[in-house]
């Protein structure tokens, strides 16, 4: 491998098109005879303290933690597009090949960077105040992490949660639902739904804020759309325009709170309707 070579985001043995694994196996490594072992990158095991830390070779002071921190520094300073194994190595004053003793591919580095940026979930009992309060804290906490590290929103999601922090957040959300009658699969689906909402909200607000450059997000949007659609078509949209709602530069926190509340309302119906077990 050349010193400046980059492995694909999925890493060695990563998923192929449509989530297929090597040799046509499924995304979990399943083969024709059923599920196979999930191949864990060595760097992920190292992050959990399971792998053997490299001791021999150049730059003995290099650590996985330093490599990840350097990657985050590059992403925060110059954007995610500037992150490469070579650039991170330069930040550390070493060679690109020295990084491969700790991280096999750029995709693995990105996973660990996002995991580190996410941090740990809120301290205390996840279910304190009930499942709804717990999931609200969880959602607000994930959103705050994305706000601190917006570059993390540009990292493709190529695996289920693997890093120590990501797994801790997953467990935290599941603990919020411990006292409910939801089946385990439903709990996982609820967490996936919330996670997708929070991530999408964070992407939208980050992009809009960047476009507005500190000004209003939608100045004159209603008037502009009104010119396009005229006086006859799209009657429901014309009523929204007439109300001034399309020109109302809503507080992004209010929009987040509204969407989160509606998702939790839906979960509340599922939990209290007596039909939770059937999904």
């Amino acid at each position: 491998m050349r010193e400046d070579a980059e492995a694909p985001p999925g890493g060695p043995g990563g998923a192929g098109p449509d989530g297929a694994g090597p040799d046509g196996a499924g995304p979990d490594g399943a083969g024709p005879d059923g599920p196979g072992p999930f191949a864990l990158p060595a760097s992920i095991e190292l992050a959990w303290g399971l792998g053997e830390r490299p001791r021999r070779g150049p730059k003995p002071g290099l650590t996985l933690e330093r490599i990840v921190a350097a990657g985050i520094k590059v992403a925060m300073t110059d954007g995610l597009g500037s992150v490469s194994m070579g650039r991170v190595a330069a930040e550390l004053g070493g060679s690109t090949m020295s990084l491969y003793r700790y991280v096999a591919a750029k995709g693995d580095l990105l996973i660990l960077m996002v995991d580190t940026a996410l941090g740990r979930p809120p301290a205390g009992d996840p279910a304190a105040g009930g499942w709804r309060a717990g999931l609200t804290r969880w959602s607000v906490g994930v959103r705050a992490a994305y706000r601190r590290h917006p570059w993390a929103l540009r990292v493709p999601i190529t695996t289920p949660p693997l890093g120590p922090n990501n797994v801790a957040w997953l467990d935290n959300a599941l603990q919020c639902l411990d006292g409910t009658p939801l089946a385990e699969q439903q709990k996982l689906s609820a967490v996936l739904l919330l996670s997708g909402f929070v991530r999408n909200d964070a992407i939208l607000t980050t992009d809009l804020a960047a476009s507005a450059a500190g000004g209003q997000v939608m100045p004159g949007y209603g008037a502009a759309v009104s010119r396009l659609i005229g006086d006859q078509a799209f009657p429901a949209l014309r009523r929204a325009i007439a109300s001034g709602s399309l020109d109302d530069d809503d507080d992004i926190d209010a929009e987040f709170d509204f969407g989160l509340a509606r998702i939790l309302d839906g979960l509340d119906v599922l939990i209290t309707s007596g039909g939770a077990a059937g999904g």
Side-chain angles (χ1 to χ4, degrees):
M1 179 183 292
R2 298 194 331 269
E3 188 168 283
D4 61 346
E6 297 286 354
D18 302 320
D23 302 321
D28 60 353
D33 298 323
F38 192 102
L40 286 171
S43 56
I44 297 296
E45 293 187 340
L46 190 59
W48 281 90
L50 300 178
E52 182 178 354
R53 293 179 177 269
R55 293 186 177 90
R56 301 178 60 187
K59 300 296 289 185
L62 199 60
T63 65
L64 182 63
E65 292 78 12
R66 288 188 62 207
I67 294 170
V68 173
I72 292 175
K73 179 182 177 182
V74 172
M76 294 186 70
T77 303
D78 298 322
L80 186 66
S82 296
V83 176
S84 68
M85 299 294 272
R87 174 66 186 278
V88 172
E91 285 287 326
L92 295 168
S95 68
T96 304
M97 290 305 296
S98 66
L99 267 60
Y100 286 111
R101 298 170 59 239
Y102 297 83
V103 184
K106 177 182 173 181
D108 296 346
L109 174 60
L110 294 178
I111 290 173
L112 292 172
M113 286 169 55
V114 173
D115 190 72
T116 299
L118 185 59
R120 303 297 289 179
D125 180 7
W131 67 266
R132 185 169 187 135
L135 289 181
T136 298
R137 286 190 297 271
W138 186 91
S139 300
V140 170
V142 174
R143 185 185 187 224
Y146 281 137
R147 282 185 163 183
R148 292 191 299 270
H149 296 276
W151 56 266
L153 295 165
R154 310 304 174 189
V155 177
I157 299 175
T158 58
T159 70
L162 291 177
N165 290 332
N166 264 286
V167 170
W169 278 93
L170 174 59
D171 182 74
N172 185 278
L174 292 173
Q175 285 191 58
C176 293
L177 294 167
D178 267 352
T180 72
L182 295 180
E184 296 305 317
Q185 181 60 61
Q186 291 174 318
K187 294 175 184 176
L188 288 166
S189 295
V191 176
L192 179 62
L193 174 63
L194 277 174
S195 178
F197 165 73
V198 174
R199 182 179 174 88
N200 182 69
D201 176 89
I203 291 173
L204 179 62
T205 55
T206 297
D207 288 350
L208 288 176
S211 176
Q216 282 188 304
V217 173
M218 299 191 303
Y221 177 61
V225 174
S226 183
R227 288 182 57 193
L228 294 173
I229 66 176
D231 297 330
Q232 303 300 321
F234 308 104
L237 181 56
R238 283 189 283 109
R239 287 192 294 272
I241 294 172
S243 74
S245 298
L246 269 68
D247 293 308
D248 181 14
D249 200 21
D250 291 338
D251 178 9
I252 58 176
D253 290 331
E255 293 290 347
F256 174 82
D257 292 342
F258 177 84
L260 177 60
R262 301 295 74 77
I263 292 176
L264 298 180
D265 286 347
L267 286 177
D268 187 50
V269 171
L270 182 63
I271 289 170
T272 61
S273 66

